[in-house]
Amino acid sequence: MTAAPTAGILPAGAWPAYLDCLQEADEYAAIEVAVGLLEAGVPAERVLLDLVAPAQAEVGERWARNEWSVAQEHAATHISERVVAAVAAYVNPRPTRGRVVVACMDGEWHALPPRLVAEVLRLRGWQVTFLGASVPAPHLVSYLHRHDAHAVALACALPMRLPHAHRMIEACRRVDVPVVVGGRGFGVDGRWARKLGVAWAPGAPSAADLIADERTLRRVPSAELSHLADDEYTSLLKRRGELIDGALAELRERDPGTRDYTPSQMDSTVSDLGYIVDFLAAALYVDDATLFTEFVDWLVEILTSRGVPAPTLGSTLEHYGRVLRDFPRAARFLGAAGSSLARLGGAGVR
């Protein structure tokens, strides 16, 4: 679930000043910027959506460009979380409407965007329970059994979590609680939410509007998942470990320098090989090659910024393609990603 920032609301200079605070890891100055805007009459919702949200997006971009380390990104995220808490304490609204539960999907650790959504809902009068990052479906359902909820808002930033998201959505429905979802994991236009048959909101304001309209919230189309009958998704999951081990062995054979990798470098390599399989599995789950292709395009940018040549990724896609030649949809998706990679300057799948 995203915050959907807008532009042109804050006084000139507020956003650059706030971003400077994040860069310098100056928590107190960052809070002063936010509270100063509130004292100047800027609505709290706008401070959250036009200050914190776009700054956090820029933090992610700087990490992706290898301009900031993981430590810097974590520090900035922590400061933004403290700023959100300061804004909430300054306004301190009292609930006048029912309970809405906000949570991240199981395995999803990007908690700040849904936290912003939770605070916008609270500002609009809802009694909000924010369960935070990576909430297992059984724990969420157990909570819903104990506490009556008007709706559940679920966030997913990574498309590879879509199969988990679907299970979580269905678990909520079994206890008759309507669900609204958001976040980049469902596609920038919500296309994969529609595949899963769930209401989607592009940002916090639209999520709040949707939750307030219970009839629309409950009127959602059926999931479009008949393609899962071919069993490719399930079979791919069963072979995940084998695929990663085989790709790693092939990489070591092709590039002897990888044998001298540090433990940290090796962990990162194994993680990347696993992400490729996981995103391919998610693409099979929703039957959409663009999910995998978009991931590969993003991954090559990340790897290139870290000095890893694009052909290395192309060779790995070729390896997976050979091993999965009896998986028609998977082979087609790998081929499409390889073609896209070739257009970006790397070797593609032949």
Side-chain angles (χ1 to χ4, degrees), residues 38-49:
L38 295 172
E39 292 175 342
V42 177
E45 184 170 316
R46 300 270 54 88
V47 174
L48 296 175
L49 299 184

Side-chain angles (χ1 to χ4, degrees), residues 85-293:
V87 171
Y90 183 93
V91 181
N92 195 26
R94 291 291 183 264
T96 57
R97 310 167 90 170
R99 184 189 301 273
V100 177
V101 177
V102 180
C104 291
M105 303 295 177
D106 191 3
E108 176 61 68
W109 297 97
H110 296 80
L112 182 57
R115 171 71 188 282
L116 291 169
V117 173
E119 294 306 327
V120 168
L121 289 169
R122 189 173 285 116
L123 289 169
R124 296 195 180 194
W126 293 98
Q127 181 181 353
V128 179
T129 301
F130 180 59
L131 299 183
S134 190
V135 180
H139 292 202
L140 175 60
V141 171
S142 176
Y143 186 89
L144 295 176
H145 275 300
R146 292 196 302 270
H147 302 277
D148 185 36
H150 173 83
V152 173
L154 297 176
C156 180
L158 298 174
M160 72 176 184
R161 301 293 181 194
L162 286 173
H164 297 284
H166 189 219
R167 289 191 286 272
M168 208 161 182
I169 291 162
E170 291 303 309
C172 293
R173 285 175 173 164
R174 283 194 289 272
V175 294
D176 196 34
V177 180
V179 180
V180 58
V181 300
R184 293 184 179 182
F186 292 100
V188 294
D189 57 358
R191 72 186 74 170
W192 301 316
R194 290 190 291 275
K195 281 278 189 176
L196 301 183
V198 63
W200 172 79
S206 55
D209 292 341
L210 185 55
I211 287 170
D213 185 355
E214 186 172 3
R215 179 178 297 181
T216 301
L217 184 60
R218 289 184 177 273
R219 189 173 63 244
V220 294
S222 300
E224 303 170 13
L225 300 173
S226 58
H227 52 272
L228 292 177
D230 66 12
D231 211 33
E232 278 199 40
Y233 166 74
T234 303
S235 299
L236 181 66
L237 288 188
K238 290 178 181 178
R239 298 183 63 177
R240 184 181 188 275
E242 170 197 337
L243 287 164
I244 295 171
D245 290 344
L248 183 60
E250 194 270 344
L251 178 61
R252 284 173 164 169
E253 182 67 24
R254 187 177 70 249
D255 183 1
T258 59
R259 300 171 189 173
D260 299 324
Y261 274 7
T262 65
S264 176
Q265 289 174 313
M266 185 56 61
D267 286 345
S268 295
T269 300
V270 172
S271 294
D272 289 340
L273 295 173
Y275 288 146
I276 293 171
V277 177
D278 293 339
F279 272 86
L280 179 59
L284 291 174
Y285 197 88
V286 297
D287 195 32
D288 190 342
T290 63
L291 187 157
F292 186 63
T293 301

Side-chain angles (χ1 to χ4, degrees), residues 48-73:
L48 296 175
L49 299 184
D50 299 325
L51 180 74
V52 181
Q56 190 62 24
E58 176 61 21
V59 168
E61 289 297 323
R62 292 187 181 189
W63 170 84
R65 295 193 299 264
N66 206 28
E67 296 173 6
W68 281 17
S69 67
V70 171
Q72 287 176 293
E73 185 271 332

